[in-house]
Amino acid sequence: MQDTYICLMEVEIIFEDETILIVNKPNNVLIHKSYYARNIKDETLLELVYKQTGLNLYPVHRLDRKTSGVLVLAKQKEQVAIFQALFNTNEIQKTYLGIVRGFVAEPTLINSPVKNPDTQVYKEAETYCKPLQIVQLNIPVHPYETSRYSLVELKPSSGRMHQLRIHMNKMSHPIVGDYKYGDRFHNRMFENEFNCHNLFLHAVSLSFKHPLTEKQLNIKARIPEDWTYLFSKFEWKVDI
C-alpha cells in the first residue's frame, strides 16, 4: 500500500535540472535535523520538499532556520562536494537583504573574525554591506522618541555560522527580528506595531557557473510577504 503524505507548506521551487533543485526556503524552517536545534519538532525543509516532490535531496550549503531565501539542494549525495567546492573557492556570488536598526550611511567592508561554535576558534570572515533605503518612523523605541531603519544589501565572501548577524551587530546595526544578536526593543516594536515576528534576513540571489553543465545561473528568490508589507508601509521602492 502506497503511503499518502499531506504537505501543509508549499516550498517554492525556483530552478531544477538533472543534478540540483533550488528552492526559496521559508522563514523558521530547519533545513534538516541537527544537534543545535534538537528541541525543534517541526518538519524540516528536506521533509517538506520530499512530500512535495518525492525526492531525497542533499543540502549543498546552509541557511539559518530563521533566514529565508535561495538554497541549493543536490539530487545525488556524491555531487554535493562538486557544488560545495564553488562556495569554498568563492566562485558563487551570494547576495542577501537585511532590515537593520539605524541609518547605514555608506558602503562598508566588514572584516572581522567569527567564532566557530564547535571548535570555539575564530575564523576570518568578510562581508560587504551596501545601504539601499532608509526610513524614520514616528514610533518611539527606548530610549528615543523616533526609530530609524535601513534596508541593506549584504554580500559575504566567507560562510561562517551567523556571520551576517554577528557582523551587523558589530556595526551597531543589528538585524530586525534577531533575538540572539539584535535589539530586543526594536524587535518588540516590530511585533507590536507591524505584527512581524520573523528575522529580516533573506538570501535574495545566487550567481554561479554550473560545474557540470557550465551554464551561468543567476537565481533570485522573491521576498516573503511580511517584507512586501513593510516595503509598502515604509514607501520603499527596490528593484529585486
Side-chain angles (χ1 to χ4, degrees):
M1 182 176 179
Q2 186 174 10
D3 291 335
T4 300
Y5 297 105
I6 299 174
C7 186
L8 299 179
M9 181 186 294
E10 187 82 5
V11 178
E12 180 186 4
I13 297 172
I14 308 173
F15 175 85
E16 182 179 7
D17 66 9
E18 293 181 354
T19 58
I20 56 174
L21 190 79
I22 303 180
V23 302
N24 187 358
K25 176 190 168 298
N27 282 305
N28 296 319
V29 175
L30 283 171
I31 296 175
H32 52 68
K33 303 292 186 185
S34 72
Y35 173 79
Y36 297 106
R38 55 194 178 278
N39 295 323
I40 297 172
K41 306 303 180 185
D42 295 337
E43 286 188 301
T44 66
L45 180 80
L46 294 184
E47 290 169 338
L48 290 169
V49 175
Y50 176 78
K51 288 184 177 182
Q52 191 172 323
T53 66
L55 295 172
N56 285 308
L57 298 164
Y58 306 89
V60 170
H61 57 118
R62 65 169 179 258
L63 293 176
D64 293 341
R65 177 171 69 93
K66 295 186 177 183
T67 303
S68 56
V70 181
L71 184 75
V72 182
L73 305 170
K75 292 185 175 180
Q76 303 293 331
K77 190 173 184 178
E78 56 268 23
Q79 293 177 339
V80 170
I82 298 173
F83 288 91
Q84 281 182 339
L86 300 178
F87 287 88
N88 296 336
T89 56
N90 289 328
E91 294 179 66
I92 286 186
Q93 185 179 68
K94 301 168 286 185
T95 304
Y96 293 73
L97 293 178
I99 299 177
V100 303
R101 181 192 71 187
F103 287 172
V104 179
E106 59 186 7
T108 304
L109 183 65
I110 310 158
N111 196 327
S112 178
V114 170
K115 184 167 66 174
N116 184 297
D118 293 323
T119 63
Q120 300 297 302
V121 173
Y122 283 89
K123 293 187 176 182
E124 294 300 317
E126 190 175 85
T127 302
Y128 177 72
C129 174
K130 174 184 174 183
L132 300 177
Q133 294 279 354
I134 59 173
V135 66
Q136 178 166 307
L137 306 175
N138 292 320
I139 302 174
V141 176
H142 178 80
Y144 303 106
E145 295 182 358
T146 61
S147 45
R148 295 177 171 184
Y149 303 96
S150 299
L151 176 70
V152 295
E153 179 183 86
L154 301 169
K155 293 188 175 184
S157 57
S158 50
R160 312 303 179 201
M161 183 177 286
H162 297 172
Q163 175 178 322
L164 301 181
R165 297 162 63 185
I166 292 170
H167 275 178
M168 295 315 296
N169 179 52
K170 286 188 176 182
M171 279 185 67
S172 297
H173 294 294
I175 297 171
V176 172
D178 191 337
Y179 278 84
K180 186 175 179 67
Y181 306 102
D183 185 313
R184 68 182 187 278
F185 298 111
H186 290 267
N187 295 343
R188 192 175 302 141
M189 187 279 278
F190 269 71
E191 291 181 357
N192 295 337
E193 297 290 334
F194 304 119
N195 194 30
C196 290
H197 301 264
N198 291 325
L199 174 71
F200 281 90
L201 181 62
H202 180 68
V204 70
S205 70
L206 277 181
S207 297
F208 62 98
K209 181 182 285 188
H210 196 297
L212 300 176
T213 67
E214 297 190 348
K215 291 182 179 179
Q216 179 66 31
L217 297 180
N218 300 300
I219 307 296
K220 287 190 175 184
R222 60 182 176 178
I223 58 176
E225 290 183 3
D226 51 352
W227 288 68
T228 57
Y229 168 72
L230 288 179
F231 279 21
S232 64
K233 295 286 289 186
F234 299 167
E235 298 183 353
W236 282 348
K237 305 293 183 183
V238 182
D239 183 20
I240 299 173

